[in-house]
Amino acid sequence: MSLKPVQGKRLAATTAVLAALAFMTPYSGASAAEPTTAATNVQPWLNPALDPDARAALATAAMTQDEKLTLVFGYFSTDAPWKNFKRPDGSLPDAAGFVPGIARLGIPPQWQTDAGVGVATQRSPHPRERTSLPSGLATAATWNPDLAFQGGAMIGNEARLSGFNVMLAGGVNLLREPRNGRNFEYGGEDPWLAGIIVGNEIKGIQSNHIISTMKHYALNDQATSQSELDAVVADAPSRMSDLLAFQFANETGDPGSVMCAYNIVNGKHACEQGWINNDVLKTDWGFKGYVMSDWGATHSTVDAALGGLDQESGFPFDNTPWFGEPLKKAVAQGQVPQARLDDMAHRILRSMFANGLIDDQVKGDQAASIDYDAHGKVTQTDAEEGMVLLKNTGILPLAASVKTIAVIGGHADKGVLSGGGSSQVYPRGGMAVPNEGPDNFPGPMVFFPSSPMKALQARTAATVIYADGKDLAAAAKLAAASDVVIVFANQWTAEGMDVPDLNLPDKQDALITTVARANPKTVVVLQTGGPVVMPWLNDVGAVIEAWFPGTSGGEAIARVLTGEVNPSGRLPATFPASLDQLPRPKLDGDNHGPRDKLYSVDYNIEGAAVGYKWFDRHGLKPLFPFGFGLSYGTFAFNDFHAQPSGKAVVANVTVSNTGKLAGKTVVQVYVAPVVNAGWESPKRLGGFAKLDPAPGGTSVATIRIDPRLLAVYDSGSKTWKIAGGDYKVMLATSAADIVDTVTVHLSAQTLDVRGK
Ligand code: BGC
């Protein structure tokens, strides 16, 4: 969050508010010393041999009331002069957040940085310049959990070496609304794919002995009227969709913290909605970490404390320091039990112990030792595997015989686009295209200095000529005179805003149509935050969805265009043919309405039938289905079979690379009851695997289908119920292309709320 008017509400700072915080333990900037044996005798919670719960219990017992309160109250880590706010001593400049430590007990501060694609900086004249992964959606498009882990490990390393020990990453909101400006931060529309990919990213981040969040919990699926929007949804469908993505990510990544969201859920602000925080997260799933609020998402003291919030973040984004003096009073007066405050402190400390924040403390700014070359390769591989070849009449990969290439639009001569808002990572070497995008949050629009055109020129003997595409006639003339045309089309999306529709902005559809008419050998490279429509699709020869491709995006794009990399990305979200196909052709809410007005969005319309499930249920034909993506090579699938295995189903298939090119492919397995079993949609993704058989060789995929994906959640009994009967297990190359089907018989089963 940059200090921006939160959904139009400017935050009012008062001196009184700052004075009210005076009880906070004074903090000395130095990090607490790491424990010695002598120290662990006196301070037994510093003994790494004890389990994290025991250590948290010992430390909490040793704390004064004010020390406990210190842990539950976070500050913004950036000066906000118009709020009369200076970031606290010991915090890091231009960063997201800071929670003071308790030096006397050996507890270091929490230095919090955004976000999911790398170490971000608030809008500042002196941004940290760090490595950016491609967008979260691009990583989901790899369908490769190992790459998600490696990407997480890489950005977590940069966070650590930048002095941070909490990374506000792990965005796993389902892509329920393709116009949501933050879809690029997330893992797509399917709970299993999103949960596994984002869970692995979280695991990778935390492998650096820092905490990652999982966010924005929950149902924060659009920006329009974000803080005034009540997401209305029943228990069962939410547990089978949005919450299921969080549940899978939690099981996979075991995040130290969960960030509750700005929106309202079934009538209560997410950060005080006991149903999602206490019942679902902490009780049903057994989450032992702490819930922190989004910046400006706390709205009360007692309701939030009782509704499951453990740490208020980013003061002064909230006008009142709810978890400061008011919480102290509420505990003294018994409105919030002492045990609840102790639980908050325990949860925060437990995550710090469990993730190594105390035994392996961050050592301040060591950014000079970041291995940017190695990290550039990690992000490049991620970007390459996430690119989705959507159409190819044969003009890709570019032939050696091509003599002239026109590169048109998208600032492809300079760099690649990134998504905006609090997650913005600033590139090393400065912004490739200055002065683009809004002057205020969520601007600027940042292009990373990795030019696809230059990377292409370095790989081809052809003459490459650039036109910016602003002059349609000039672009058409250049296109007609070239062997091949590559148009770069951008859709910048950002936090705090939804896109009005799914068309490319700035008349780029007209540009593509004009250029393709002048030369049908036109390749379109899309850099978009999410799905777009393509009115020109029939006119062009090839389309690559490159998403926001990150620090090394230009190289990655050029390598896919030339065939050095065989594309293997698959869509993590349906690309609709038009807005009419969506559950809500028009977005609910109104960013221009009065700020105190509440809106609601009825997610019961589609319930758990998000994305392809909605399209299947209504027999709608999308522009491109979920899971779709082409290759330059050919693969064959053989010996597909499936059988029950314990409570799950296991499917196996042999995949052969039948071509001459090396390349990866994705095996997708969907499941469906033969007789209606009360599912939200005809079929669900049950599992997937990314394989890499050598040319002429084979690989075998073994895919375990989580039993929850074969069940319906029953709210009354808090169980998952699998109906007895026959189930189709389908091998597919997308949600719309089934290659082979086998049938398994399952006996009726009941699983507990955790799917066991
Ligand atoms: C965003 C969070 C972010 C926080 C801190 C908020 O605006 O919603 O994702 O972590 O700011 O910058």
Side-chain angles (χ1 to χ4, degrees), residues 452-695:
M453 174 178 157
K454 287 183 189 145
L456 186 61
Q457 182 67 86
R459 297 181 153 74
T460 169
T463 306
V464 183
I465 299 176
Y466 181 74
D468 66 13
K470 292 197 176 115
D471 177 341
L472 292 192
K477 196 167 163 209
L478 174 64
S482 307
D483 292 343
V484 170
V485 188
I486 306 175
V487 187
F488 284 79
N490 295 348
Q491 179 212 42
W492 184 67
T493 64
E495 179 180 343
M497 51 182 246
D498 294 324
V499 289
D501 53 44
L502 300 178
N503 282 89
L504 291 168
D506 305 327
K507 306 199 174 94
Q508 294 174 100
D509 285 331
L511 170 66
I512 297 170
T513 304
T514 307
V515 164
R517 286 200 184 133
N519 186 344
K521 288 199 165 170
T522 290
V523 179
V524 178
V525 178
L526 295 166
Q527 297 182 78
T528 70
V532 287
V533 293
M534 305 176 201
W536 32 260
L537 185 61
N538 291 335
D539 304 331
V540 303
V543 182
I544 293 175
E545 175 56 88
W547 315 106
F548 300 144
T551 293
S552 313
E555 290 288 307
I557 291 171
R559 276 162 53 83
V560 170
L561 289 169
T562 56
E564 277 171 70
V565 168
N566 189 353
S568 66
R570 302 289 183 265
L571 291 181
T574 307
F575 275 41
S578 74
L579 289 177
D580 300 340
Q581 295 182 323
L582 300 177
R584 274 164 295 284
K586 184 180 168 309
L587 278 168
D588 288 308
D590 181 3
N591 275 349
H592 307 292
R595 303 312 321 170
D596 52 358
K597 185 161 176 217
L598 297 183
Y599 301 86
S600 64
V601 53
D602 184 5
Y603 288 141
N604 287 318
I605 293 175
E606 72 274 36
V610 175
Y612 65 91
K613 296 172 182 169
W614 171 261
F615 279 71
D616 272 1
R617 182 162 110 185
H618 294 279
L620 297 165
K621 191 171 164 9
L623 183 64
F624 289 106
F626 174 82
F628 183 79
L630 303 170
S631 167
Y632 297 150
T634 50
F635 297 89
F637 302 96
N638 288 300
D639 302 329
F640 179 56
H641 53 275
Q643 60 286 320
S645 166
K647 292 184 174 173
V649 165
V650 171
N652 301 283
V653 62
T654 304
V655 182
S656 318
N657 182 337
T658 50
K660 293 203 175 68
L661 287 176
K664 297 189 180 180
T665 192
V666 177
V667 175
Q668 301 169 41
V669 175
Y670 294 82
V671 285
V674 169
V675 178
N676 182 353
W679 287 23
E680 69 282 4
S681 61
K683 67 176 184 292
R684 301 173 181 158
L685 179 71
F688 63 90
K690 187 121 194 200
L691 299 180
D692 192 11

